Amino acid sequence: MSRELLKISGLHAAVEGKEILHGIDLEIKPGEIHAVMGPNGAGKSTLSAVLAGKPQYTVTEGSIEFLGRDLLAMSPEQRSWAGIFLSFQYPIEIPGVSITSFMKTAINSKRAAEGLEPLKGADFLKLMREKMAFVKMKPEFAKREVNVGFSGGEKKRNEIFQMAMLDPVLSILDETDSGLDVDALKIVAEGVNALRSPSKSAIIITHYQKLLDYVEPDVVHVLKAGKIVRTGGREIVDIIETQGFDSF
Amino acid sequence: MPGHYIDVPVSGTAVTDSLRKVFILRPGDSAQDISIEARAGSVTDITLVILPGVSADLTVNVDFTGEGASLRLAGLYVCGSSEKVSVRTVVRHRVPFCTSDQIFTGIAGGTSRVSFNGTIIVAPGAQKTEAYQQSRNILLSRDAKVSTEPQLEIYADDVKCSHGATAGSLSEDELFYMRSRGIPESEAKVLQLISFLSPVLASLPDPDAVASELEAAIRSIVQR
Ligand SMILES: Nc1ncnc2c1ncn2[C@@H]1O[C@H](COP(=O)(O)OP(=O)(O)OP(=O)(O)O)[C@@H](O)[C@H]1O
Ligand SMILES: [Mg+2]
């Protein structure tokens, strides 16, 4: 049997001394897509920040295993090298750093960690062009400062572009679909579906069923007040859609 | 301290690229005061780069003695340990129609002490003077200190003068974002610091040469 790609056990996490996650258990097998839904302030972004290793978040109890490794012992960059990718709910602006040099540094850092030579300039540019075309990002974005002056939708598209560049094993999409027009939503869905493989998984945090129409989730979780209160299949999305979160 | 005088060539009313110079202070170099007489129509562009391991105490004096002259004065520093850097500038606008633009920017780590004391004097009658001064700093440690003391003495009424100072720290959010893409923490800091200095770097005559030296300097203090 396939063992878990990700195994979260009894996870408690706090930020600024305040406990937000009160015991999360979650197992994801290779190839699975999990949706996480829940009301505002439930702790969804906190969970994704903890998975990506945001230093301000402290895990007070519990464990996380990723591909059999102790994820909590790894730095954010090590997690990225191991194949974790977080699409930020609110992508960060990096003034003075172009998308090209940002991605080049990112890709070559991973290669260095794997003992590989930096990617040749021409190969890197080819990869950039290919992935930018895939997310329908205009070529002039390559020179722009990361997320600076981007519209909300452009920022999300840039997240999916980075995801496509880094080819992660576990993609965590934190409300990547919020604020997107229909076309952009389809691009996000295509981005996730393109990465689908028997060995890769995704966690999709969303408030809407729309994205889940394009990316069929295997498992749906309801996260409420720092706990997973319900786990099931696609039918949960319909319950939320008609009855909200009160019934959970 | 040894004095150092640079005479800015005069060329009547013609605008000339009178002086464009970058001084780089490396460990072991001794800081020299700089005095400049900016004569009519001259264009002066001076950059002072202070690398890690350098303690310096120096004064830059600029006298505008002829109309229509301009000055750009940039100071870039990177301190990573216990350096003491003190830079004073005294810019005297004695005559009308001159422009001075000063920027002092850098990164202070370790227990370094950095001070920038910029005096602008606009003499009576020096109308249409434009004199600007700003100081932008990043503190890498709690024990580093940066102080900025602007001093404006303005005796003419038709002038534009301003000054401003900021002292910030590295953005945790930017660092985490970069690290989440696989950029190691130290490299993420280097990227952020270089981009902080880039507005001044970009205006240098040979930005690449200075940039690579600064980048190496920044890398050395970040990885400490
Ligand atoms: N840095 C912080 N300091 C204090 N409280 C925080 C911090 N970060 C998050 N919280 C709190 O933790 C709780 C969970 O926040 P989180 O962002 O994880 O919610 P969410 O489920 O992602 O909500 P949304 O659907 O609105 O994005 C909220 O009550 C929030 O105010
Ligand atoms: Mg959120």
Side-chain angles (χ1 to χ4, degrees):
Chain A
M1 261 332 297
S2 60
R3 57 179 297 163
E4 291 83 22
L5 182 88
L6 183 77
K7 188 169 192 241
I8 303 176
S9 316
L11 181 75
H12 291 249
V15 60
E16 313 229 333
K18 182 180 155 207
E19 187 172 287
I20 311 286
L21 301 179
H22 310 294
I24 303 268
D25 295 289
L26 183 66
E27 291 181 8
I28 300 182
K29 291 199 171 63
E32 286 181 348
I33 301 226
H34 287 229
V36 175
M37 305 185 80
N40 294 134
K44 304 181 298 296
S45 294
T46 302
L47 177 62
S48 56
V50 168
L51 286 170
K54 190 166 184 179
Q56 291 82 354
Y57 291 74
T58 338
V59 171
T60 48
E61 247 184 276
S63 64
I64 307 179
E65 255 181 49
F66 178 66
L67 292 168
R69 295 168 70 185
D70 176 7
L71 191 73
L72 296 176
M74 294 157 72
S75 68
E77 50 271 38
Q78 287 170 329
R79 297 180 198 205
S80 169
W81 301 334
I84 289 195
F85 180 85
L86 169 62
S87 170
F88 282 53
Q89 182 174 2
Y90 304 109
I92 306 296
E93 298 184 4
I94 310 196
V97 180
S98 71
I99 291 193
T100 303
S101 69
F102 181 61
M103 281 327 290
K104 195 183 263 177
T105 311
I107 296 246
N108 286 333
S109 299
K110 181 180 182 187
R111 291 177 64 91
E114 289 167 348
L116 297 171
E117 295 283 300
L119 209 55
K120 283 200 187 69
D123 293 339
F124 172 77
L125 288 176
K126 187 165 164 274
L127 183 69
M128 277 265 302
R129 269 200 293 271
E130 184 187 313
K131 301 304 182 190
M132 286 181 81
F134 174 63
V135 301
K136 299 198 172 65
M137 230 161 115
K138 293 203 190 77
E140 55 261 33
F141 274 79
K143 287 205 187 75
R144 286 190 53 179
E145 297 168 66
V146 179
N147 293 325
V148 177
F150 286 26
S151 76
E154 287 167 347
K155 284 184 182 172
K156 298 300 178 80
R157 203 176 287 227
N158 186 25
E159 295 293 282
I160 296 303
F161 159 69
Q162 293 174 41
M163 182 179 88
M165 288 291 285
L166 294 170
D167 191 24
V169 178
L170 175 67
S171 309
I172 305 158
L173 277 68
D174 190 357
E175 294 198 32
T176 305
D177 53 344
S178 291
L180 290 188
D181 62 41
V182 214
D183 295 332
L185 190 72
K186 281 187 188 152
I187 289 167
V188 171
E190 279 165 24
V192 180
N193 285 328
L195 283 178
R196 270 196 116 142
S197 87
S199 60
K200 296 185 169 182
S201 305
I203 298 175
I204 297 178
I205 296 169
T206 182
H207 285 295
Y208 311 101
Q209 63 169 354
K210 198 81 199 146
L211 179 61
L212 303 176
D213 289 342
Y214 296 116
V215 186
E216 194 65 34
D218 299 293
V219 185
V220 178
H221 307 273
V222 178
L223 182 67
K224 204 174 160 181
K227 280 186 173 159
I228 289 182
V229 292
R230 182 82 166 264
T231 292
R234 179 67 223 232
E235 73 285 354
I236 290 184
V237 180
D238 303 322
I239 301 176
I240 293 170
E241 201 73 18
T242 52
Q243 301 169 31
F245 293 107
D246 288 346
S247 57
F248 297 101
Chain B
M1 191 182 301
H4 189 75
Y5 183 81
I6 300 159
D7 188 26
V8 179
V10 194
S11 58
T13 52
V15 177
T16 52
D17 194 1
S18 320
L19 182 71
R20 210 165 181 209
K21 230 173 158 74
V22 180
F23 297 92
I24 302 186
L25 289 178
R26 301 182 179 83
D29 290 348
S30 71
Q32 299 184 316
D33 287 352
I34 299 171
S35 291
I36 294 160
E37 183 188 344
R39 296 180 192 166
S42 62
V43 177
T44 309
D45 187 341
I46 290 183
T47 303
L48 185 66
V49 179
I50 302 171
L51 292 174
V54 176
S55 282
D57 182 352
L58 76 155
T59 303
V60 181
N61 278 297
V62 180
D63 271 348
F64 284 97
T65 59
E67 295 184 7
S70 78
L71 163 81
R72 189 178 162 282
L73 197 56
L76 263 179
Y77 69 87
V78 177
C79 296
S81 47
S82 55
E83 299 90 339
K84 287 187 173 38
V85 168
S86 167
V87 175
R88 266 174 313 281
T89 64
V90 182
V91 175
R92 287 190 182 80
H93 284 266
R94 298 186 190 277
V95 292
F97 300 109
C98 294
T99 303
S100 64
D101 193 4
Q102 300 178 61
I103 170 142
F104 184 75
T105 189
I107 298 156
T111 57
S112 58
R113 295 282 176 274
V114 176
S115 76
F116 174 56
N117 189 320
T119 301
I120 296 172
I121 303 165
V122 181
Q127 304 297 10
K128 304 290 178 191
T129 288
E130 288 186 33
Y132 308 108
Q133 178 188 302
Q134 58 165 317
S135 167
R136 295 168 66 239
N137 310 276
I138 283 194
L139 291 162
L140 284 183
S141 80
R142 255 181 245 281
D143 298 324
K145 296 250 181 316
V146 175
S147 70
T148 302
E149 288 167 49
Q151 202 174 322
L152 270 56
E153 298 172 25
I154 300 169
Y155 305 105
D157 52 11
D158 188 9
V159 301
K160 286 187 196 157
C161 294
S162 72
H163 67 86
T166 58
S169 47
L170 285 168
S171 155
E172 293 293 335
D173 284 343
E174 283 182 41
L175 289 180
F176 175 58
Y177 190 67
M178 292 195 251
R179 296 177 74 189
S180 78
R181 270 51 175 151
I183 299 175
E185 185 176 15
S186 59
E187 199 56 38
K189 287 181 179 172
V190 170
L191 263 183
Q192 208 184 115
L193 292 170
I194 298 259
S195 73
F196 175 76
L197 297 181
S198 68
V200 174
L201 273 178
S203 64
L204 293 180
D206 185 1
D208 291 348
V210 182
S212 53
E213 192 159 2
L214 268 173
E215 186 172 328
I218 289 171
R219 189 159 277 126
S220 78
I221 68 167
V222 159
Q223 284 165 354
R224 210 166 268 163

